[in-house]
Amino acid sequence: MLHALVLTVLLVPALAPPDDPLTGVWEGRGKGDNPMIPPEGFGFSLVLEARGEDEALATITMEDATAKPAEASFDVDSGELSFRCDLMGLLVDVELVLAGEELAGKASGLGMTVELAGKRTAREVPAQEPASAARAPVDLTTLTSADWREDLAFLAENLAKKHANAFHTLTREDWEGRVRALEARLPELSPADAAVALAQLVAAVGDSHTEFALAGRPFDVYLPVRFAWLSDGLFVTAVDERFGEALAARVLRVGKGSAEDALAAVGTTFARENDSWPRAKAPTKLAQPALLAALGLIPDADAIPLVLESTPEVSVSVVIAGSGSGKWLVAPDSTLVPTPLWLRRTNEAYWFEILEPRKAIYLAYNRCAEDPARPMAGFVAEVFAALESSKAERLVLDLRHNSGGNSAVLARFVPEIGAHPRLAAPGSLRVLVGPRTYSSGMRNAQELREGARARLYGEPTGGKPNSYGEVHVFWLPRSGLAVYHSTKSFREVAGDSPSLAPDVLVPLSSADYFAGVDPVLERALAE
C-alpha cells in the first residue's frame, strides 16, 4: 500500500517572467499500454522552477503520488527537459520536450513507459519551505493545557474530515465522547500524559496506518536496551555493555508491571488490527522511559527497572539508566555463531545470495522501494540469470523485515516470476513472512501467492489484508506533532482475515534466535 506524505508548506508564490520557458505548473495526462495503467490513463502535474537558463527544480505528481523534488536539466535550443525522481519508492526517468506552453514526452520506470502530454496551466509556482525546517523537534514540556486543548480540537476536526473512514471501528458519537472526556482531563495532565492521551485517542480509530507520532522532548530519549517479542516471551536482544547480564535474558517485569502488562500498556498508543503487529511494534517502545512513566509503569523517566529470568528458578534485577557507553552487546553474537541470512544486510532494500548446496536462491526484500544504485528491473534480471546459471530449483523470497512502501516496485515483476521456467514446479517459489511483514510488504506476499503460486512460510503478518492505507499527514498547531492518517480503503482478499496466514506455520523461539538458527528458512529449504 502506498504511503503518500504531504511534506511542504506554502509560502509566497514565485511568478515566471514572460520569457521564462520553464517556471510554472504544467498539467496533463499520461497513457500507456500496460495492465498497471488504467485504459483512460491518469492525470499528472509537473511543477517547474527555473534555476538559471539550463536547470530547474522539478516536482511531478502522478495519481496523487508526489515525487521528491529533483534537479532537471534543460536544453534551451531543443526544449528538452530531463530528470530522474523518486516517486514514492519508484525510480522514474522523465524526458520531455517543452514547446511554448505545451509539453510532450515520456516517463519510464520498472521497465514500463508512459506517454505524457500536457500544457502550462499557471506561470505561478508556490514557494516551498523544507519540511525539516518547518517541523523542528518540539519541547512538549513547555506546553500548557490551553495548548493541548487547541491541538485536541484541531486533531478531532481534521482526523474525522481527512481520514478515508474514521468511523469504521467506533461511531462518531463514541469519538466525540472520547474527545470531550479528554478535553475535561487536560488541566490535570502533564505534557507527557497529554501527548500519550492524544496517541491513545488516535489509536481508537482502529486503523494501524493511522497513528499519532510521539516525538520531541521528552519522547526523544531511548535508553540503551532493545527487546524482541518471540514465540516464548519478551527477551533482551541488545544492551549497553554496562548491563551485560541482561543480554539474551527473558523479561519478567518492566517497572511495576509484568512483561505482558508492559506490552499491553504501550500497545494502547497505536492501533492493532491483529495479534501480530504489536509483536513487531510494541517492543521498540519499551526503551522510551518517558512513555513508560506516562503510562504509570515506572515512577519517573530516568531509568527502566527490569526483572529478568536468569535461570528457570532464579531471577535478577537490572536497572537500565544513563546514555550508554557507546559499546553495545548484541545477541546472537556473530563472533560466537554465524549470523543467519535474515539478520544480515537489513539496511539494504534488496539483495540475493546463491545457496548452491541447497539448489536455491535466497532473496531478501526488506523495503518496498527502489535502490538508486541498483534499480529493480536490473536486479530482477540478475536474479533470473542466477537462477539459470546456478540451476537453482527454488527461489526463497524473504519479506520478514518488509514493513511497506510502494507495492508496485515488486508487483510489476510478479507475472514474470510466476512465468519463469525454473519456478514452474509447485512450491518452487517460497515466501517468508512474519509480524513485520506489513502494508505493501504484506500485499506483495499476497500477490506472490496468487500470481506466482508462492507457498508462504513463517508467522502471520502484521499487516491486515483488507484495511486502510495510502498515508497522508497533518501537524498539530501547538505541539507540531504529526498525525498520520489513511486516505484509501484496500480490499485484497475475500472475507476479513486479520492477518495473511502462512501456509506453513513456523514460530521463532528464543532458543533458535539466540543460537543463530533460522527455523523458517530451514523449513522452506527442507520441503
Side-chain angles (χ1 to χ4, degrees), residues 35-181:
M36 296 184 69
I37 301 171
E40 68 277 12
F42 58 88
F44 77 89
S45 68
L46 173 66
V47 177
L48 292 176
E49 186 170 357
R51 296 283 195 265
E53 187 179 68
D54 56 1
E55 292 182 353
L57 186 67
T59 305
I60 193 166
T61 298
M62 298 183 181
E63 284 289 89
D64 298 325
T66 301
K68 296 177 182 178
E71 295 292 334
S73 60
F74 180 64
D75 187 305
V76 178
D77 296 328
S78 66
E80 295 177 354
L81 177 87
S82 62
F83 61 93
R84 167 174 279 190
C85 62
D86 181 337
L87 184 67
M88 297 182 64
L90 298 179
L91 297 178
V92 178
D93 292 307
V94 181
E95 299 176 0
L96 302 169
V97 175
L98 277 57
E101 299 298 295
E102 297 186 350
L103 65 76
K106 62 182 181 180
S108 304
L110 292 179
M112 301 182 296
T113 298
V114 296
E115 300 296 327
L116 304 177
K119 61 183 180 179
R120 182 154 51 179
T121 58
R123 299 179 66 84
E124 199 173 75
V125 175
Q128 296 180 348
E129 180 180 354
S132 58
R135 306 296 168 184
V138 295
D139 184 348
L140 302 183
T141 63
T142 64
L143 300 184
T144 67
S145 60
D147 293 326
W148 290 112
R149 188 177 297 110
E150 183 178 342
D151 274 4
L152 174 60
F154 188 88
L155 184 155
E157 177 184 358
N158 283 277
L159 186 57
K161 180 169 57 178
K162 295 176 180 292
H163 193 283
N165 179 11
F167 307 114
H168 66 282
T169 298
L170 74 172
T171 65
R172 180 180 289 274
E173 292 73 22
D174 187 7
W175 169 259
E176 292 174 349
R178 290 169 184 253
V179 171
R180 288 193 299 270

Side-chain angles (χ1 to χ4, degrees), residues 342 362-366 396-401 432-433 518:
W342 81 288
Y362 172 86
L363 192 166
Y365 187 50
N366 297 322
V396 179
L397 206 159
D398 197 340
L399 294 173
R400 285 176 290 174
H401 289 293
L432 314 185
V433 297
D518 184 352

